[in-house]
Every structure is written in C-alpha cells, then in structure tokens.
Amino acid sequence: MKKVLKHRQLNSSCKIALLFVFFNFVLVGLKASADINNFHSSELEAHADTLFQSTYERELENPNDAFWGYEKLVELGHVEAKVRFSALLQAGLGEGKQDEKVQQSLELLNEAAKEGSASAYYGLAVTYFSGWYVPVDESLGLKFLFKAAEGGEPRAQNRLGYLYNTGQNVDKNIDKALYWYRKSAEQNHGAAFYNLANAFLEGEGVKQNTSKAIELLTKGANEKHGDSIAKLGNLYFDQKYGIQDSKLAFYWLSKSAEEGSVYGQAGLGSCYRFGIGTDVNYEKAVYWYKLALENGDYEIAGFNLAEMYANGLGIESNLKEARRLYVMLAEQGDVEAERELEKIDRLMKQDKAIDG
C-alpha cells in the first residue's frame, strides 16, 4: 500500500513539473507567433488556472517555491497570479532593490484591479491604509476597500464591517457592520464569524444570544481562526456567561495555544496553574506564561508569572524577577500590580535586614 501511495504522489509531482515545461514551451511559441487561435487560448487559460492552484498550494508551504511559478503565470497574463506575485515582491522575494520590487508590485496590483480582481483591490487598500512603501492615504485605501468588498472579497468585507463597527474612517453604523460581517461569513471567513459572535455576546445590533455566539465561534474555529479558538476557551473558562466548563476550556485553550495565539497561551498557563480541566502542573504553567509574555501578553501572563517567581511555584523563587514584572505592569496602570510591588519591596527589605 505504501508503494502505491508513493507512486501516486510521484505522478502528481510529475504533472506539476510537466505543466511548468508546457508553459515555457507555450510562452516561447507565443513570442514566436501571433497566430494562436481561440481554441489554443481557452485551453491555455484552463491549464493556467490549474497551475495557479498548484502554485498557490506551494506558496502556503514555502513562498520561495511559488515565486517562479507566479512569475511565469504573470507573463501569461493570469490576473490572480499578478496579485500573489505582487505580495511576494512586497515581502522581499526575488532579486533587485526593494523599492523597485514594490513599484512593480503596485503596478501589478493596479493592472489586476483594472481587470476586475477584488483581491487586487484589497491588496491596494491594505497598502494605502498601512503606508507600506507608499504615503498613507486612508481615503484612497477606503475607496479600494469598498471596491474589494463589493467585488466579493471576504477579507475586505470583514474589514469594512469592522470599520463600521468601530467608526474608523466611516460613520459608526452597527447595521452596516453586521451586513458586511454576514457577507464575509457567507464565504466562511474565520474573522467574520468571530466578529459576528462578539455582536451576539454583547447584544450589539442584535439580541444577546450566547448559544448563537458559540455556534459562530465554533465555525470560526473550524476555519482555524486563532481568535475564535481562544474566545471559545475563554468563554468556557469564565463565569460571566454562565457556561463555565473546565474540560472544554482546557480543550479549546490547548488548541489555541498550539495555533500560536498569545491569549490561548496565557489561558493554558492558567489552566495548568489552577488545575482547570487538567491536573495542576506549575512547570507547564510557567512554560506557557513565559511564552505568552514573550508574545506580548503582560496583563495575565506577566502578573501570574510574577506571582510564581515570588512564591517559587514551578520555578526557583526570584524576588528580583517578580519585582521587575510587577514594575512593568504598574507602569501600565495595573493597580493590583502596584499593591503586589509594595509587598515585594517589604520582603526584599526584610531579607536585606536579615542578611545585613
């Protein structure tokens, strides 16, 4: 059975390789003769779409492996290949100066947008909103975002919903926010499920419905959306919504932490520290708190880690390190950290007096 599977994998790889050879051959033929008929053009387009999908799958594994394939497809005029090739150029792949690559990237995005690509409009929107190698131009970014959303781009629809939800760049309008979130969710966009779920949790523009929120978050989790997975864990961890379930909290927070979510990492640390859905394990708690802290979670991970340093839980007692963490939190306005800092200072003075 193993030999059969390997043989099938080899055939698949050979087909992809042959497509690359085929495209090189066709490209040379196109340059040599302008007398290609409609049949050949339609056949070429069908193969180009197949090669684009294969190249996109390669990009997900290793962008460098996809660069050449996109480059060839761009030469053939494949619209979505222009968008993906543009993204790789902006990321710094390929030879030449970065400013030249960015200029080529913008040209390709504009070409693809003129040819009707919603994803190209979204790429232009992100570029002008972020000011990535261009001056920030939020009005132009918003114009492109509307075009992308109206063209069916799920990321654009979700982002436009978020702008209406928060009142950024547009007048706040919850009904319009929900409209665009729903349009994006219809295409199974994970972030849209997450944003809709928050609306149902808080009763914002809709009647509060925790069950509906969980349904939407589960859909987001099935799309491997990290925040949806973490939110499920937090819902089952917290008592606020009356659905506390330690086993489910541990399950979803574990998944979230493994996906790299900082909130999941901090939450999993708390599961191990307090025995929520699992046995108490201070060493594992320290591990996950440290990882969450490295990734920017100071409020939960930083505070708990400070307590563990102060009390020698899962790690050697270290009042200086505990103090450093409390100081960092206190500087951010954490009142509880300020109180703990006073306790640490008293302990350190006592230790110094005993040693002195």
Side-chain angles (χ1 to χ4, degrees):
M1 181 61 73
K2 288 183 180 179
K3 288 183 179 180
V4 172
L5 290 173
K6 284 184 179 180
H7 180 64
R8 287 178 178 172
Q9 290 170 353
L10 180 61
N11 281 341
S12 176
S13 298
C14 285
K15 286 178 181 177
I16 294 170
L18 285 171
L19 277 170
F20 278 112
V21 174
F22 168 74
F23 275 98
N24 257 335
F25 173 76
V26 171
L27 190 59
V28 172
L30 284 171
K31 289 176 180 176
S33 172
D35 296 324
I36 187 163
N37 59 38
N38 289 332
F39 174 76
H40 289 130
S41 296
S42 61
E43 186 178 44
L44 175 62
E45 184 179 348
H47 284 297
D49 288 339
T50 301
L51 183 59
F52 174 79
Q53 186 59 40
S54 299
T55 306
Y56 180 68
E57 290 170 4
R58 286 186 174 197
E59 182 191 352
L60 296 177
E61 295 179 6
N62 187 341
N64 286 295
D65 290 345
F67 189 85
W68 186 85
Y70 284 141
E71 188 173 33
K72 291 300 175 187
L73 284 165
V74 167
E75 291 173 9
L76 293 171
H78 193 281
V79 178
E80 291 307 316
K82 293 178 183 179
V83 180
R84 295 312 314 147
F85 191 55
S86 168
L88 297 187
L89 287 170
Q90 286 202 23
L93 274 68
E95 298 178 356
K97 296 179 180 179
Q98 185 60 22
D99 57 346
E100 293 175 352
K101 288 188 284 188
V102 170
Q103 184 59 38
Q104 183 186 359
S105 167
L106 290 174
E107 290 172 2
L108 288 169
L109 283 177
N110 278 293
E111 281 180 26
K114 288 176 182 177
E115 294 175 73
S117 169
S119 57
Y121 278 121
Y122 181 68
L124 287 168
V126 171
T127 298
Y128 284 103
F129 270 124
S130 64
W132 183 253
Y133 285 97
V134 297
V136 172
D137 190 333
E138 293 186 346
S139 62
L140 189 56
L142 189 62
K143 172 187 172 183
F144 287 135
L145 190 66
F146 268 104
K147 284 185 173 292
E150 290 163 356
E153 219 301 328
R155 295 169 299 174
Q157 292 168 337
N158 177 67
R159 184 158 181 170
L160 190 55
Y162 181 78
L163 293 184
Y164 276 119
N165 198 0
T166 58
Q168 296 179 41
N169 303 110
V170 293
D171 292 334
K172 186 170 182 175
N173 188 316
I174 299 302
D175 289 337
K176 287 184 178 180
L178 293 172
Y179 170 81
W180 286 112
Y181 285 154
R182 288 186 173 113
K183 293 292 284 184
S184 181
E186 286 172 7
Q187 299 187 67
N188 294 321
H189 187 56
F193 286 130
Y194 174 82
N195 288 322
L196 273 176
N198 281 328
F200 278 100
L201 275 176
E202 304 303 327
E204 193 173 16
V206 292
K207 186 177 180 181
Q208 199 282 336
N209 189 327
T210 303
S211 297
K212 181 65 176 177
I214 290 173
E215 176 190 329
L216 289 164
L217 287 171
T218 302
K219 288 181 178 180
N222 290 337
E223 296 299 321
K224 299 189 182 299
H225 182 248
D227 287 345
S228 294
I229 298 171
K231 188 78 171 183
L232 279 170
N234 288 333
L235 283 178
Y236 288 118
F237 186 98
D238 201 345
Q239 297 180 4
K240 179 179 178 181
Y241 298 98
I243 56 169
Q244 193 174 32
D245 186 315
S246 60
K247 293 294 183 185
L248 285 174
F250 180 74
Y251 172 78
W252 286 112
L253 288 171
S254 295
K255 276 188 154 309
S256 176
E258 289 163 5
E259 289 286 330
S261 166
V262 62
Y263 306 109
Q265 292 163 353
L268 187 57
S270 292
C271 284
Y272 280 118
R273 181 181 178 187
F274 300 108
I276 297 172
T278 187
D279 295 332
V280 170
N281 188 319
Y282 291 139
E283 288 77 15
K284 287 185 177 181
V286 167
Y287 170 81
W288 286 108
Y289 282 144
K290 279 187 173 182
L291 196 57
L293 183 63
E294 288 171 8
N295 290 325
D297 184 278
Y298 301 108
E299 184 180 3
I300 298 173
F303 189 88
N304 279 280
L305 197 55
E307 284 190 330
M308 299 187 84
Y309 271 117
N311 296 287
L313 300 175
I315 197 167
E316 186 176 350
S317 178
N318 188 330
L319 293 181
K320 287 184 178 180
E321 182 60 16
R323 187 181 191 284
R324 183 188 72 80
L325 291 169
Y326 282 135
V327 167
M328 178 180 66
L329 292 165
E331 288 175 348
Q332 296 177 10
D334 191 318
V335 177
E336 195 172 355
E338 290 178 6
R339 288 196 293 266
E340 293 300 321
L341 182 57
E342 292 174 1
K343 294 178 185 178
I344 289 290
D345 285 341
R346 286 197 296 271
L347 284 172
M348 293 180 76
K349 284 180 181 178
Q350 291 172 7
D351 289 348
K352 190 174 182 179
I354 292 171
D355 294 338

